[in-house]
Amino acid sequence: MEIIFEPDFSGFFVALSIIMTAGISYFLYFKNTDSVSLTTYQKVFLAILRCLSLFLIFLFLLSPLIERSKKIKQLPILAVAFDNSQSVQPYEASYNELTKALKNRFADDYQLEFWSFGSKVENTESFTGTDHRSDYGQILKTLKNNYLNKNIGALILFGDGIYNQGQDPENFASGLKFPVYAIGVGDTTRKTDASIRNVKTNKMAFLKNKFPVEIELKFLKLKNKIAYIDIENNNKSVYSSTVAITSDDDFKLEFANLEASEVGMQHYKIKIRPFDGEANLKNNEYEFVIQVMENKQKILMLSDGPHPDLGAIRTSLEELQNYEIKVLTGNNVPDSLSSYSLIVLNQLPSVKNVASKLLTKIKESRIPVLFLVGPNSMLAQLNSLDMGLRISTSSNTEEVQSAFDSNFSLFVLSDATKEIIESSPPLLSPFGNTELTPTMQNLAYQNIRNIKTNKTMMAFGADKGRKVGFVVGEGLWRWRLYDFQLNENHEAFDELIQKIIQYLALKENEDNFNVYYPALFQETDNIEFTAELYNDSYQLVNSPDVSLRIKNDSLKEFTYLFDRTDDYYRLNAGNLEPGDYTFDAETKLGNQRFTEKGNFSIVKNEIEIQNNQADFGVLFQLSQQSGGQFYPFKSYGTLLDDIKSNKQIAVQQFRQTLQTEWINLKLLFFLLILLLGVEWFYRKYWGIY
């Protein structure tokens, strides 16, 4: 224990306190005439009491600290992670046996922490075996982050090695700071099996159009056999084919082009006719659903010449399948624009092409327009259109990045997309101030050299009854490349472009009430809806309640109430059973009652039953790369011995230093009271008043 004074020269004041308290006590009892009746012994005794009490008071005024240190022991953490997916469910008894053995052996010497992983990661000991997917990479990533700078001794990984979600777990194993001891359960024996591993197709098709279906087929121990493939739509055969199996471990791709013959949600079932000796027939079938629409929305893109920005936008929209895109360059303009839902003008009007006739047609047609403004745009001509945005004319340009406006409410972007777009490479924008009309909303401002300005970068809204959008800057194609470089996908860029186009091209309901939802859900998905309600001035409001009734195939009804979020409505209805559903949404604004109807489907997610052959190779590689070891379940006793004998899994000791102010020490306070009390008592007792 150490006493610390602040500041450094407090030692002088301590010495001064001793002198002062001794002097005061001496004069009080040896020079004071009131004390002449006391004996020398009595004077010395009372002087010592007064000196000590005064000295304590002076020390309190100097605010000294008492510094103490103590040893802290930190038990090593033994993390136990178990695969909670359906393929491991038969081994629940094995998991319980392992858990009991771990607690009996290590409860006193290790800090046991249990983790469940499947489609998600949870800090729990409860095993259910109900998850529809297995993500081994996510559990390793979670534990690596969770145990950073902690005394993690080892990870015991219990599972069958089958992963069907997320990244390859071997990508995370080499970066772990702790060994992985893997325990394998399941049957690794290769059995006769024909399975449909995956199916790729469109989520949407259009009536009388063909749509492709790509089927991944896996065959084990069926060499020289013939597989019969059938596809049914509403229990009617729409496709049949045969596949020749050439090896005992064969993978085939089957391609089918099906015709969308009926409007609405269409259910399809792919079947492989069973072979003799197959142990698992559940993976011989695969169901999928597509939404068949009557027609596509047409989008016209116009530009002076080919441009990568239009290519990037077009690629993002092709993912949606419900847009028919036509790109024209130069002076090529259709005779009629009436069939188009949206026109995208890339740097038109320009210095080389004022496009007077085209702009006149556009103004007369009242078709929504998206202006991509860049260095070649003729700003004076653009301003003369009076479509919601004016830009000061200038021949100069500057590089700008985006700064999103939190008040934007026409459509919603995810926070992840906003972050990625704000960090994307700058666009080349015309130099000059911007001015928006009140009917337009800023989605993003120009950020110039990390300084947010009030200049518009992206803005959208309605001008004189027509939807209009502006992107002030050239170089959107760089954003798409940056998104892929950062995330190995284009999801953020695609979300931005798709939300912009959907807003502009969407034909609004006359009653100003819209409900948005995916047409297809997996059974593991949360059923989520968003809704918008506009008043007569076409302003978003969410003051009235919005109710939703969902009915399934059996006409069972579920009732919900939307939550309010900003100016919108949101609803998470949780999980529902696979099947077809219809819904009715209803609200009332003033004296007007609005309703919206729709339908959606939920399909089974049976990826866990597609492959039930355990993959101990994955578990072995994870163990080896992390410095651990793999054990089949029957050898888990050896695992416990190896962990116990691992000298690197040890208790960590460190000292913890604590500082306490004297004034917070109750013992010293009571000591001071005691000293003053004893002195007072004897003064009275010996007749000194």
Side-chain angles (χ1 to χ4, degrees):
M1 182 172 67
E2 183 180 356
I3 300 176
I4 302 174
F5 292 93
E6 292 291 344
D8 295 338
F9 54 82
S10 291
F12 167 76
F13 291 103
V14 174
L16 182 61
S17 298
I18 295 174
I19 295 172
M20 291 178 63
T21 55
I24 293 171
S25 301
Y26 174 77
F27 280 105
L28 180 61
Y29 288 106
F30 288 93
K31 295 298 183 180
N32 190 346
T33 57
D34 294 337
S35 304
V36 294
S37 62
L38 297 176
T39 66
T40 301
Y41 167 77
Q42 291 173 335
K43 291 178 181 179
V44 171
F45 177 71
L46 292 175
I48 290 173
L49 291 175
R50 177 58 61 94
C51 183
L52 290 175
S53 59
L54 289 176
F55 182 65
L56 279 177
I57 293 173
F58 278 120
L59 286 183
F60 283 140
L61 294 176
L62 293 176
S63 301
L65 301 173
I66 292 182
E67 184 174 276
R68 295 176 296 177
S69 63
K70 63 177 180 178
K71 286 185 179 180
I72 301 294
K73 288 186 177 181
Q74 188 178 67
L75 293 177
I77 298 172
L78 198 58
V80 183
F82 57 91
D83 186 348
N84 199 39
S85 63
Q86 292 174 326
S87 63
V88 185
Q89 200 279 331
Y91 305 98
E92 180 180 3
S94 299
Y95 166 74
N96 292 333
E97 181 181 339
L98 174 65
T99 301
K100 183 178 179 180
L102 287 170
K103 290 180 178 179
N104 291 338
R105 187 76 175 270
F106 297 133
D108 296 332
D109 302 321
Y110 299 86
Q111 182 179 336
L112 291 173
E113 295 190 4
F114 291 86
W115 295 83
S116 161
F117 69 94
S119 53
K120 58 184 179 300
V121 174
E122 293 183 294
N123 191 190
T124 180
E125 186 181 339
S126 177
F127 180 93
T128 60
T130 55
D131 280 13
H132 293 271
R133 293 180 181 270
S134 299
D135 191 342
Y136 277 73
Q138 185 61 35
I139 183 64
L140 296 179
K141 182 179 179 181
T142 299
L143 296 185
K144 179 181 178 181
N145 296 332
N146 190 76
Y147 292 122
L148 189 67
N149 298 324
K150 293 185 178 181
N151 184 21
I152 169 72
L155 165 64
I156 297 177
L157 187 63
F158 178 91
D160 57 10
I162 304 172
Y163 69 92
N164 40 46
Q165 178 174 297
Q167 299 183 39
D168 187 337
E170 294 181 26
N171 295 338
F172 300 97
S174 58
L176 297 177
K177 302 299 182 183
F178 48 85
V180 176
Y181 293 93
I183 297 180
V185 293
D187 188 358
T188 60
T189 305
R190 294 177 59 184
K191 299 178 181 179
T192 300
D193 189 40
S195 62
I196 302 172
R197 289 298 178 91
N198 193 25
V199 174
K200 298 178 182 178
T201 187
N202 301 336
K203 294 181 180 180
M204 187 179 298
F206 293 88
L207 189 63
K208 304 304 180 183
N209 285 0
K210 297 275 188 179
F211 63 93
V213 181
E214 180 183 297
I215 310 167
E216 297 179 6
L217 304 169
K218 182 72 174 179
F219 302 100
L220 294 175
K221 301 182 71 173
L222 289 169
K223 183 178 180 180
N224 298 326
K225 301 286 186 179
I226 300 295
Y228 293 87
I229 314 299
D230 300 298
I231 303 178
E232 297 177 352
N233 173 218
N234 297 326
N235 297 319
K236 295 180 182 179
S237 178
V238 294
Y239 179 85
S240 295
S241 178
T242 58
V243 175
I245 305 170
T246 56
S247 70
D248 277 335
D249 188 358
D250 203 0
F251 178 83
K252 299 290 186 182
L253 280 177
E254 177 74 8
F255 296 92
N257 277 313
L258 307 181
E259 182 177 343
S261 57
E262 294 184 37
V263 174
M265 301 299 297
Q266 298 298 315
H267 290 255
Y268 291 83
K269 181 181 288 187
I270 306 173
K271 296 181 179 180
I272 304 176
R273 297 180 194 176
F275 290 90
D276 293 337
E278 276 196 85
N280 181 15
L281 295 179
K282 292 182 179 179
N283 57 13
N284 286 46
E285 296 184 358
Y286 191 104
E287 294 186 30
F288 68 94
V289 179
I290 67 166
Q291 185 176 26
V292 179
M293 310 286 288
E294 289 197 58
N295 51 40
K296 294 185 177 183
Q297 288 183 297
K298 292 185 177 181
I299 296 176
L300 177 63
M301 294 184 176
L302 299 173
S303 178
D304 268 346
H307 198 283
D309 281 357
L310 292 184
I313 295 174
R314 181 173 186 169
T315 303
S316 293
L317 296 181
E318 286 174 346
E319 296 287 330
L320 296 180
Q321 300 295 324
N322 58 330
Y323 294 112
E324 181 180 319
I325 302 168
K326 188 172 186 178
V327 180
L328 297 177
T329 58
N331 292 316
N332 296 322
V333 180
D335 294 332
S336 174
L337 302 177
S338 59
S339 62
Y340 293 100
S341 301
L342 174 66
I343 299 174
V344 181
L345 298 179
N346 179 51
Q347 301 190 56
L348 288 176
S350 69
V351 177
K352 296 181 180 179
N353 184 5
V354 294
S356 299
K357 293 183 179 180
L358 168 65
L359 296 176
T360 300
K361 282 186 176 182
I362 290 175
K363 292 199 73 170
E364 292 175 350
S365 68
R366 300 174 66 85
I367 296 172
V369 185
L370 173 61
F371 291 94
L372 305 181
V373 183
N376 297 323
S377 297
M378 189 174 182
L379 299 180
Q381 183 76 358
L382 180 65
N383 292 337
S384 68
L385 296 175
D386 191 25
M387 285 194 175
L389 174 68
R390 297 181 64 85
I391 305 174
S392 301
T393 57
S394 173
S395 58
N396 297 323
T397 59
E398 58 185 344
E399 292 186 338
V400 300
Q401 289 181 290
S402 63
F404 281 100
D405 185 355
S406 59
N407 296 319
F408 184 79
S409 60
L410 297 180
F411 51 85
V412 179
L413 295 172
S414 67
D415 291 338
T417 293
K418 292 179 182 178
E419 290 176 4
I420 291 173
I421 300 303
E422 284 187 334
S423 63
S424 291
L427 303 182
L428 192 61
S429 174
F431 179 83
N433 294 323
T434 62
E435 181 182 350
L436 277 180
T437 60
T439 59
M440 303 289 289
Q441 289 190 32
N442 271 305
L443 172 65
Y445 291 99
Q446 296 181 21
N447 194 334
I448 304 173
R449 300 181 187 91
N450 294 324
I451 299 175
K452 181 181 177 181
T453 69
N454 59 0
K455 299 179 183 179
T456 295
M457 186 176 187
M458 286 183 278
F460 305 91
D463 180 76
K464 304 177 184 66
R466 178 211 309 271
K467 284 187 177 180
V468 183
F470 293 89
V471 177
V472 185
E474 179 188 55
L476 290 175
W477 62 274
R478 295 188 183 92
W479 288 10
R480 183 174 174 83
L481 293 179
Y482 176 77
D483 188 16
F484 187 83
Q485 179 185 7
L486 200 64
N487 300 309
E488 297 186 358
N489 59 55
H490 303 105
E491 292 179 2
F493 181 81
D494 288 349
E495 180 187 358
L496 174 68
I497 297 301
Q498 291 170 10
K499 288 288 182 70
I500 290 173
I501 299 302
Q502 286 172 351
Y503 164 73
L504 292 173
L506 179 68
K507 293 181 180 179
E508 302 293 348
N509 293 342
E510 294 180 359
D511 58 13
N512 291 349
F513 178 49
N514 304 298
V515 177
Y516 304 104
Y517 61 97
L520 183 65
F521 296 93
Q522 298 284 335
E523 65 175 316
T524 53
D525 294 339
N526 287 326
I527 312 303
E528 296 181 340
F529 298 83
T530 59
E532 297 174 341
L533 178 62
Y534 294 88
N535 59 21
D536 291 337
S537 300
Y538 207 69
Q539 296 172 321
L540 279 169
V541 295
N542 67 352
S543 50
D545 289 337
V546 174
S547 61
L548 183 77
R549 294 188 304 275
I550 298 176
K551 292 182 180 179
N552 62 12
D553 299 335
S554 305
L555 300 182
K556 184 178 180 180
E557 190 172 291
F558 309 88
T559 304
Y560 305 91
L561 197 65
F562 276 81
D563 297 320
R564 296 174 175 84
T565 303
D566 297 327
D567 293 330
Y568 293 80
Y569 295 91
R570 290 186 182 277
L571 172 64
N572 184 341
N575 298 113
L576 296 174
E577 294 293 324
D580 292 332
Y581 293 81
T582 60
F583 72 85
D584 295 275
E586 185 175 354
T587 188
K588 185 178 181 181
L589 182 61
N591 295 323
Q592 294 179 292
R593 185 173 297 278
F594 302 125
T595 59
E596 272 282 275
K597 297 183 179 182
N599 59 77
F600 61 90
S601 290
I602 303 174
V603 295
K604 292 182 179 180
N605 187 333
E606 296 183 326
I607 193 169
E608 277 288 312
I609 67 172
Q610 300 302 315
N611 176 25
N612 55 13
Q613 179 185 334
D615 188 354
F616 288 173
V618 171
L619 299 177
F620 180 81
Q621 289 298 325
L622 291 178
S623 302
Q624 293 298 307
Q625 291 184 33
S626 63
Q629 198 166 337
F630 168 77
Y631 308 82
F633 176 75
K634 63 182 179 180
S635 301
Y636 77 81
T638 306
L639 159 69
L640 304 185
D641 294 336
D642 290 346
I643 291 178
K644 190 70 175 180
S645 61
N646 190 338
K647 302 300 182 183
Q648 294 182 345
I649 306 176
V651 175
Q652 287 185 353
Q653 295 186 1
F654 59 92
R655 286 189 173 274
Q656 185 179 36
T657 301
L658 301 173
Q659 291 184 340
T660 307
E661 291 186 358
W662 273 38
I663 199 168
N664 294 325
L665 298 177
K666 296 181 180 179
L667 181 61
L668 291 180
F669 174 75
F670 288 119
L671 177 60
L672 176 60
I673 298 299
L674 178 63
L675 290 171
L676 293 173
V678 171
E679 181 189 359
W680 175 84
F681 173 77
Y682 279 103
R683 283 174 61 90
K684 298 296 183 183
Y685 184 73
W686 289 330
I688 300 177
Y689 302 99

